């Protein structure tokens, strides 16, 4: 952790981890109030079932049904606690990370009752295929609070605060990658009610999966077929072409050749980096300002904020680290000022996307919007 950004660890009342990351220019003191709530025990860890037709694992997390949905501002569960709001974070903060209370992936059961599915026995176990295969969904889900502000998103942050969040992503990637059974770590932000966001508070999440995700498995197959320099060849081709929307000394953002979504931008580092933990100080510093420009440009496309998913793809923990490069895939379902791209029959049932806007046209619009902010 750089000396100018300070990490402070704590525990919530039910034993979940809470980590504060203080800005380089923080006005907060070193002490934090403890969580004195009386909480119900943590729910049992979810289970996973394998789809025998595709080999994919489906986490069945019934506790998620009790999540808070669009609460009033005075009951924001991500705000600092007050006498009237027993939220998840007991004190003031700059950036805070905590274990999700109703996670899709959680700790291995300490005392397994009769009938509990087995804990995954490693990558080979998860890659095997068979009927009625069920496992405990071992892993971790964390909430990353970008700010104590009641509303907003990453694009509303100052460069200094953005840098603190990037530091948190880097630190959490390293910590979660070291947990037993974790195979891939995924930081992301969902923005906007149209995407399905249930809290307007500026925040993202990090999932630590017990398997390599389906998309990454397909990327690994492409690397095997086309060569270990696949990402560098993609980046070189895009930088020489006409779909770049923003570039710095260490990162380039572009609309990909085969963009699926009405708005889709990929952001890649110029050197091979498997995950956030492997970025250096200069790369994190540039990303803090470059990423803000990109998000603000996406918002400048229309008169009101753009719903999006900001997905930070990282290499798996134990495979493909010399070939799979850290990259952002920013996507939006918005295909016009008042039009949404719904995933109907072809996309939802067959996984066969039909693009409404040519990628080159989209790139020109986004490039102009980024230049305007």
């Amino acid at each position: 952790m750089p000396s100018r950004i300070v990490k402070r660890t704590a525990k919530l009342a039910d034993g979940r981890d809470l980590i504060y990351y203080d800005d380089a220019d923080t006005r907060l003191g070193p002490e934090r109030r403890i969580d004195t709530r009386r909480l119900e025990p943590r729910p049992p860890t979810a289970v996973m079932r394998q789809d025998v037709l595709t080999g994919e694992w489906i986490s069945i997390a019934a506790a998620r049904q009790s999540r808070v949905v669009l609460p009033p501002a005075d009951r924001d569960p991500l705000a600092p606690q007050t006498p009237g709001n027993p939220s998840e974070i007991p004190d003031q903060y700059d950036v805070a990370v905590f274990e999700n209370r109703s996670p899709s992936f959680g700790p291995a059961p300490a005392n397994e009752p009769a009938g509990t599915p087995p804990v995954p026995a490693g990558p080979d176990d998860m890659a095997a295929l068979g009927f009625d295969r069920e496992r405990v969904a071992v892993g971790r889900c964390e909430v990353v609070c970008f700010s104590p502000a009641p509303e907003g998103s990453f694009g509303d942050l100052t460069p200094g605060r953005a840098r603190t969040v990037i530091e948190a992503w880097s630190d959490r990637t390293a910590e979660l990658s070291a947990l037993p059974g974790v195979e891939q770590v995924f930081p992301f932000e969902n923005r906007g009610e149209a995407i399905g966001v249930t809290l307007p508070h500026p925040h993202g999440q990090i999932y630590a999966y017990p398997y390599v995700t389906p998309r990454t498995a397909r990327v690994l197959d492409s690397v095997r077929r086309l060569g270990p320099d696949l990402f560098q060849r993609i980046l070189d081709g895009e930088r020489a072409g006409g779909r770049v929307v923003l570039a710095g000394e260490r990162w380039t953002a572009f609309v990909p050749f085969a963009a699926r979504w009405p708005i889709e931008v990929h952001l890649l580092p110029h050197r091979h980096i498997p995950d956030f933990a492997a970025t250096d100080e200069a790369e994190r510093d540039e990303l803090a300002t470059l990423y803000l420009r990109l998000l603000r440009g996406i918002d400048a496309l229309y008169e009101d904020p753009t719903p999006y998913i900001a997905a930070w793809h990282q290499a798996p923990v134990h495979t493909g680290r010399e070939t799979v490069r850290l990259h952002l895939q920013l996507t939006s379902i918005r295909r016009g000022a008042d039009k949404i791209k719904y995933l109907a029959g072809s996309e939802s049932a067959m996984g066969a996307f039909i693009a409404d806007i040519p990628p080159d046209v989209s790139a020109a619009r986004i490039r102009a919007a980024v230049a305007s902010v």
Side-chain angles (χ1 to χ4, degrees):
M1 191 69 55
S3 58
R4 63 182 186 274
I5 296 174
V6 178
K7 173 184 178 181
R8 307 182 191 280
T9 60
K11 292 285 185 180
L12 295 175
D14 57 3
R16 287 175 293 139
D17 287 331
L18 167 65
I19 308 101
Y20 296 104
Y21 295 88
D22 295 352
D23 291 341
D25 58 352
T26 188
R27 297 182 178 181
L28 299 176
E31 300 300 322
R32 299 291 190 275
R33 291 194 300 267
I34 64 171
D35 185 14
T36 60
R37 296 174 296 171
R38 292 186 177 181
L39 298 177
E40 295 292 327
R42 299 172 68 171
T45 299
V47 299
M48 299 179 293
R49 291 182 175 180
Q50 188 182 47
D51 180 351
V52 73
L53 293 176
T54 65
E56 296 176 2
W57 287 94
I58 313 301
S59 182
I60 302 170
R64 288 167 54 86
Q65 282 286 69
S66 61
R67 288 177 300 167
V68 176
V69 177
L70 300 176
D74 62 354
R75 302 296 287 183
D76 178 0
L78 305 185
Q81 285 181 13
T82 65
N85 180 21
S87 73
E88 288 282 65
I89 306 175
D91 208 342
Q92 291 293 329
Y93 64 91
D94 294 328
V95 173
V97 179
F98 63 90
E99 288 184 79
N100 197 310
R101 196 171 183 178
S102 303
S104 303
F105 304 92
N111 299 303
E112 300 182 17
T116 300
V119 170
D124 291 341
D125 175 45
M126 299 304 292
L129 182 65
F131 286 92
D132 301 327
R133 301 189 73 228
E134 193 172 35
R135 297 289 185 271
V136 177
V138 174
R140 181 120 150 179
C141 294
E142 296 185 339
V143 179
V144 183
C145 299
F146 301 155
S147 162
E151 296 184 359
S153 61
F154 193 101
D156 298 316
L157 304 179
T158 64
R161 178 60 52 77
R163 181 65 181 80
T164 305
V165 174
I166 292 168
E167 198 64 40
W169 285 340
S170 305
D171 181 64
R172 297 316 302 154
T173 293
E175 294 281 340
L176 297 178
S177 295
L179 292 178
V182 168
E183 295 296 328
Q184 190 166 15
V185 178
F186 173 49
F188 64 99
E189 178 193 7
N190 297 326
R191 194 278 190 93
E193 288 186 41
I195 293 295
V197 173
T198 58
L199 296 174
H201 195 110
H203 74 288
Q205 300 178 68
I206 305 178
Y207 276 20
Y209 299 96
Y211 53 79
V212 175
T213 59
R215 182 188 186 276
T216 306
R218 291 194 291 272
V219 170
L220 287 167
D221 183 60
S222 293
V223 168
R224 283 191 290 267
R225 296 169 66 182
L226 295 176
D229 60 344
L230 175 59
F231 277 92
Q232 189 61 50
R233 288 162 61 191
I234 290 172
L235 180 61
D236 291 345
E238 294 292 354
R239 282 171 60 83
R243 288 183 297 273
V244 170
V245 299
L246 182 63
E249 293 183 14
R250 296 169 176 83
W251 301 82
T252 292
F254 56 88
V255 175
F257 172 76
R260 291 171 170 78
W261 302 91
I263 299 171
E264 181 169 357
V265 178
H266 293 191
L267 176 63
L268 267 68
H270 292 176
R271 71 180 180 99
H272 179 76
I273 304 168
D275 56 26
F276 272 114
T279 56
D280 62 28
E281 288 290 301
E283 287 158 343
R284 297 178 193 182
D285 290 345
E286 182 178 274
L287 180 61
T289 56
L290 204 72
Y291 189 29
L292 288 175
R293 286 184 60 198
L294 175 61
L295 292 178
R296 291 168 184 173
I298 294 296
D299 269 352
L301 287 169
Y302 300 104
E303 293 184 359
D304 55 338
T306 298
Y308 64 72
I309 297 172
W312 284 99
H313 297 280
Q314 305 193 102
V317 173
H318 299 113
T319 185
R321 297 189 63 78
E322 300 302 319
T323 57
V324 177
R325 185 174 299 196
L326 167 71
H327 63 286
L328 169 72
Q329 181 189 30
L330 180 75
T331 61
S332 177
I333 57 177
R334 193 172 194 175
R335 61 186 179 92
D338 57 355
K339 296 178 181 178
I340 294 293
K341 166 70 173 180
Y342 294 102
L343 299 191
S346 186
E347 290 88 358
S348 293
M350 302 303 289
F353 272 72
I354 314 298
D356 303 279
I357 300 173
D360 300 85
V361 173
S362 178
R365 293 181 60 239
I366 295 172
R367 184 164 51 246
V370 169
S372 74
V373 299

